[in-house]
Amino acid sequence: MEAITIKDIARALNLSTSTVSRALRDSYEINPETKRLVIEYAERLNYRPNPIALSLKENRSRVIGVIVPQIANNFFSNVINGIEAIAYSRGYYVIIFQSHESYERELATVQQVVDRKADGLLISLSSSTSDVSHLRLLQEKKLPIVLFDRVSSELAIPSVTADNFGGAFAATEHLILTGRRRIAHVTIPPYISITQERLAGYRAALEKYGIAYDEQLVRYASFGESEIGPIIDELLTQSPDAFFAASDRLAIGCLAALKKRNIAIPEAVSLIGFTNTPLADLLAPPMSTVEQPALEIGQTAAGHLIDLIEGKSGQLNSETVRIPTRLILRASS
Amino acid sequence: MEAITIKDIARALNLSTSTVSRALRDSYEINPETKRLVIEYAERLNYRPNPIALSLKENRSRVIGVIVPQIANNFFSNVINGIEAIAYSRGYYVIIFQSHESYERELATVQQVVDRKADGLLISLSSSTSDVSHLRLLQEKKLPIVLFDRVSSELAIPSVTADNFGGAFAATEHLILTGRRRIAHVTIPPYISITQERLAGYRAALEKYGIAYDEQLVRYASFGESEIGPIIDELLTQSPDAFFAASDRLAIGCLAALKKRNIAIPEAVSLIGFTNTPLADLLAPPMSTVEQPALEIGQTAAGHLIDLIEGKSGQLNSETVRIPTRLILRASS
DNA sequence: TTGTAAGCGTTATCAG
DNA sequence: CTGATAACGCTTACAA
């Protein structure tokens, strides 16, 4: 793995390193002949500048740190996909970290991002993060940050999320318009922004149609839980006539639980649609979905972050960008 | 983001940088009192060594490059999960790249890994990669490499895969034992190792039970294709009594296509089980699965790579480790 | 026990 | 047009 350096070229061509450096960067003050010589030689030996040396010199790493609660999650892996697309096209590398929904690990992980001298940070908060002072600290240190998906209103940091309110509103309205009145809502932990936004959308739709909000119809499931059967059981005592699940995982768990209990399934709507459309079609008879624009969230967030890093940020300061969701209706059978 | 350096500490304490450096690394030749002073001061100011400077000095980056065909894929994101777990616990960072199933992008991406001075490479080949000389070249340059999942027999490089042969054999045998004789096999592109291994397992099971191998019952679907309906139609002309799909995506597409055509679904077996067990249960009536140990593949591959990097590699040289798969039967309804 | 100096690969400043 | 030299942060002979 012995790489060739500017020094090697200089020695071979009997030039100084500075001349070689200039020639390679196509400086105007270099003799065209010398330039040609250097460039040819460099190409022949497949010279590649050492990015680590550059980082040290320029005090920047061209690396973006990304922290997600979990990688092995359809939504987040698609977001990462979007982030990478933009990052690589603009000359940045991406280092991915997971907080595993733990506040402590989020802290440690943020520290790693700082230690590694990332030029910027993209983060989606863990579900157990309520104190956000670690991010405020970074902000004060002028590290460019963009929040995505799980954001925080306590932070004046630019954010990118799906239009959770709108998606939840559309989903709930759809259920109401098809005649349901007792719509159960199975959702994710309460202390994260998206849960609140979805709940608000759900409530707003109920209100619009004069349906009273019933606390008994709402249940929160932690991310850890694998079995949501008990939660469905609780909800069933409230005789709901439809389910609105806040995630794929919950929608699937919900359908599975109902099926296991041989209960005729009302219509279920899942927020956060499947990227995997054939799968959603397969489960369709009782289920419509709200598609979440994971890719676009990633692209937008990465774009903003790089703008911030490069000082090209218009005045997008702590604004929250909301990417529209799409309701995909599937006929009931 | 002005970080504190050894220089700052030296200046503040009226010491030389080397003394500070030694004190921080707890060198024996430093006065305990000085040591205490330095360490205390460093902690108070939250000093963190600059990893970039270290990399430059030590000519290593403590970074592992990982190249997968796609991130947004249940299998690969779980593998990455396993890789990260091991890498972080052993002090390495992970940079993830995607080849997007393209040979050209794989080349470019491998180059990036080299340029970034990764200490090692974990790679799963793109489906369009047949020429593997780019990896042979790296190998000659002594870059530690471990292949996983999509490996190559042309390369004497340590590899980690699932027991694809065994999984396919078990799946096929299960179908045979429940009375099927014309088992269709929908699979992924032919030029990758896993396809061949699975096909071999399928054929071996047929042979064991004296069932003739029928080429007409095997179809290859590219990763790009979203609609596998036509392929299922072709297979249906062969009146199969079971399906053995080589991936989740194909299994789901297969079930969906059959359902759309209102065809009574025989039993289907999907290789590469769902990480998402409730989903598999939901789709169960006609489907059993072969679970692929994604996490373990990642952990094992990362472990081997780091052993190689640190020179602790026993004599695992170009061996292929096969992680067992697990057949999960689900009752037909 | 501590300090000086060189070096990792690169670029920028300042002289020639 | 080209060459020394210093600097980025850190470690490590080698001196003192």
Side-chain angles (χ1 to χ4, degrees), chain A:
Chain A
M1 284 279 54
E2 291 316 301
I4 156 156
T5 75
I6 264 187
K7 254 186 190 165
D8 299 326
I9 303 182
R11 200 175 315 124
L13 265 44
N14 249 313
L15 290 168
S16 74
T17 57
S18 33
T19 304
V20 173
S21 174
R22 287 189 191 101
L24 288 172
R25 349 197 62 245
D26 203 22
S27 163
Y28 64 98
E29 42 180 9
I30 293 286
N31 184 316
E33 178 56 14
T34 313
K35 216 181 261 183
R36 197 184 53 72
L37 228 61
V38 170
I39 293 179
E40 253 173 24
Y41 188 83
E43 288 200 334
R44 198 151 58 71
L45 268 74
N46 197 25
Y47 165 79
R48 303 273 170 172
N50 181 334
I52 295 177
L54 277 173
S55 288
L56 183 59
K57 183 131 233 323
E58 299 175 357
N59 199 30
R60 49 129 75 191
S61 56
R62 288 206 159 270
V63 162
I64 290 176
V66 176
I67 303 178
V68 293
Q70 294 282 349
I71 290 179
N73 167 306
N74 224 327
F75 174 72
F76 287 118
S77 55
N78 276 290
V79 172
I80 290 173
N81 214 179
I83 291 173
E84 296 221 301
I86 299 299
Y88 290 159
S89 77
R90 296 185 62 175
Y92 287 81
Y93 294 80
V94 170
I95 298 195
I96 296 161
F97 297 88
Q98 307 187 65
S99 62
H100 294 283
E101 304 288 4
S102 144
Y103 173 60
E104 282 69 34
R105 295 193 67 159
E106 182 171 299
L107 284 186
T109 280
V110 161
Q111 186 59 57
Q112 309 228 42
V113 169
V114 173
D115 290 354
R116 265 273 144 182
K117 301 261 182 282
D119 292 343
L121 171 63
L122 286 171
I123 181 171
S124 187
L125 301 175
S126 99
S127 54
S128 47
T129 297
S130 53
D131 178 1
V132 291
S133 44
H134 53 308
L135 294 183
R136 201 169 288 124
L137 218 70
L138 288 194
Q139 201 183 11
E140 281 161 15
K141 286 192 193 161
K142 304 289 178 226
L143 180 75
I145 308 179
V146 172
L147 292 168
F148 66 92
D149 190 50
R150 314 238 201 110
V151 303
S152 165
S153 54
E154 293 177 34
L155 248 19
I157 291 183
S159 308
V160 180
T161 66
D163 178 10
N164 290 296
F165 180 93
F169 186 93
T172 310
E173 184 170 49
H174 160 70
L175 291 170
I176 296 171
L177 293 176
T178 54
R180 328 286 165 164
R181 280 299 172 273
R182 295 192 57 70
I183 303 168
H185 182 31
V186 205
T187 186
I188 49 183
Y191 300 118
I192 50 183
S193 58
I194 49 179
T195 309
Q196 292 303 326
E197 294 170 18
R198 290 168 195 180
L199 185 62
Y202 165 80
R203 294 189 66 159
L206 293 181
E207 196 166 336
K208 173 171 175 190
Y209 293 93
I211 301 174
Y213 170 69
D214 180 355
E215 220 176 27
Q216 298 301 315
L217 282 169
V218 178
R219 283 290 177 286
Y220 302 89
S222 84
F223 286 115
E225 266 161 314
S226 55
E227 189 45 77
I228 67 157
I231 292 180
I232 302 298
D233 280 335
E234 276 180 49
L235 282 171
L236 284 172
T237 65
Q238 303 298 318
S239 47
D241 53 14
F243 283 86
F244 166 35
S247 75
D248 276 1
R249 207 181 57 91
L250 291 176
I252 290 166
C254 180
L255 289 177
L258 291 173
K259 182 180 158 198
K260 198 184 277 175
R261 287 162 185 69
N262 278 312
I263 291 172
I265 299 175
E267 183 160 13
V269 171
S270 125
L271 184 75
I272 315 310
F274 299 95
T275 315
N276 192 327
T277 313
L279 171 58
D281 286 341
L282 190 58
L283 295 175
M287 179 159 73
S288 295
T289 53
V290 179
E291 252 190 0
Q292 225 192 18
L295 200 74
E296 201 179 344
I297 290 176
Q299 292 172 329
T300 308
H304 281 193
L305 183 68
I306 296 176
D307 284 347
L308 278 174
I309 293 174
E310 300 182 344
K312 286 184 206 154
S313 67
Q315 36 276 63
L316 54 86
N317 284 339
S318 65
E319 258 173 68
T320 293
V321 177
R322 280 172 218 288
I323 314 285
T325 57
R326 201 157 60 96
L327 180 61
I328 301 182
L329 300 180
R330 292 188 179 80
S332 274
S333 63

Side-chain angles (χ1 to χ4, degrees), chain B:
Chain B
M1 283 283 56
E2 291 315 302
I4 154 156
T5 74
I6 264 187
K7 253 186 193 165
D8 299 325
I9 303 181
R11 202 175 313 125
L13 265 42
N14 250 310
L15 289 169
S16 73
T17 57
S18 40
T19 304
V20 174
S21 173
R22 288 188 190 105
L24 289 172
R25 351 197 62 244
D26 203 22
S27 162
Y28 65 97
E29 43 181 7
I30 293 285
N31 183 317
E33 178 58 11
T34 314
K35 216 181 260 183
R36 197 185 53 72
L37 229 60
V38 171
I39 293 178
E40 252 172 27
Y41 188 84
E43 288 199 335
R44 199 152 57 72
L45 267 73
N46 198 23
Y47 164 79
R48 302 276 171 170
N50 181 332
I52 295 177
L54 275 175
S55 289
L56 184 58
K57 180 125 235 322
E58 300 176 356
N59 199 30
R60 50 131 67 190
S61 56
R62 288 207 158 270
V63 162
I64 289 176
V66 176
I67 303 178
V68 293
Q70 294 283 347
I71 289 178
N73 167 307
N74 225 327
F75 174 72
F76 287 119
S77 56
N78 276 291
V79 171
I80 290 172
N81 214 180
I83 292 173
E84 296 220 302
I86 299 299
Y88 290 160
S89 78
R90 295 184 63 174
Y92 287 79
Y93 294 80
V94 171
I95 298 195
I96 296 160
F97 297 88
Q98 307 187 64
S99 61
H100 294 282
E101 304 288 5
S102 142
Y103 173 61
E104 282 70 33
R105 295 192 68 157
E106 183 172 300
L107 284 185
T109 279
V110 161
Q111 186 60 57
Q112 308 228 42
V113 169
V114 173
D115 290 353
R116 266 273 144 183
K117 302 262 181 278
D119 292 344
L121 170 64
L122 286 171
I123 181 171
S124 186
L125 302 176
S126 99
S127 56
S128 46
T129 297
S130 52
D131 179 2
V132 291
S133 44
H134 53 308
L135 294 183
R136 201 168 287 125
L137 216 70
L138 288 194
Q139 200 183 12
E140 281 161 16
K141 287 191 193 162
K142 305 286 179 228
L143 179 75
I145 308 179
V146 172
L147 292 169
F148 65 93
D149 190 50
R150 314 238 200 112
V151 303
S152 166
S153 54
E154 293 176 35
L155 247 21
I157 291 182
S159 307
V160 180
T161 66
D163 178 10
N164 290 296
F165 179 93
F169 185 94
T172 310
E173 184 170 48
H174 161 69
L175 291 171
I176 295 172
L177 293 177
T178 54
R180 328 286 165 166
R181 282 297 174 273
R182 293 193 57 71
I183 302 167
H185 183 29
V186 206
T187 186
I188 48 182
Y191 300 119
I192 50 184
S193 59
I194 50 179
T195 309
Q196 292 304 326
E197 293 169 19
R198 290 167 194 179
L199 186 62
Y202 165 80
R203 294 189 66 160
L206 293 182
E207 195 165 338
K208 174 173 174 188
Y209 293 92
I211 301 174
Y213 170 70
D214 181 355
E215 218 176 31
Q216 298 301 314
L217 283 170
V218 178
R219 283 290 177 286
Y220 301 89
S222 84
F223 286 115
E225 267 162 311
S226 55
E227 190 44 77
I228 66 157
I231 291 179
I232 302 299
D233 279 336
E234 275 180 50
L235 282 171
L236 285 172
T237 66
Q238 304 298 316
S239 46
D241 54 13
F243 282 87
F244 168 35
S247 75
D248 276 1
R249 206 181 59 93
L250 292 176
I252 290 166
C254 179
L255 290 177
L258 291 173
K259 182 180 158 198
K260 197 184 280 175
R261 287 162 186 70
N262 278 311
I263 291 173
I265 298 176
E267 182 159 13
V269 171
S270 129
L271 185 76
I272 314 308
F274 298 95
T275 314
N276 192 329
T277 313
L279 172 58
D281 287 339
L282 192 58
L283 295 175
M287 178 156 74
S288 294
T289 53
V290 178
E291 252 190 1
Q292 226 194 18
L295 200 73
E296 201 179 344
I297 290 177
Q299 293 172 327
T300 307
H304 281 194
L305 183 68
I306 297 177
D307 284 347
L308 278 175
I309 293 173
E310 301 182 343
K312 287 185 204 151
S313 67
Q315 34 277 63
L316 54 87
N317 284 340
S318 67
E319 258 173 67
T320 294
V321 176
R322 281 173 218 288
I323 314 286
T325 56
R326 201 158 59 97
L327 180 61
I328 302 182
L329 300 180
R330 292 187 179 81
S332 275
S333 64

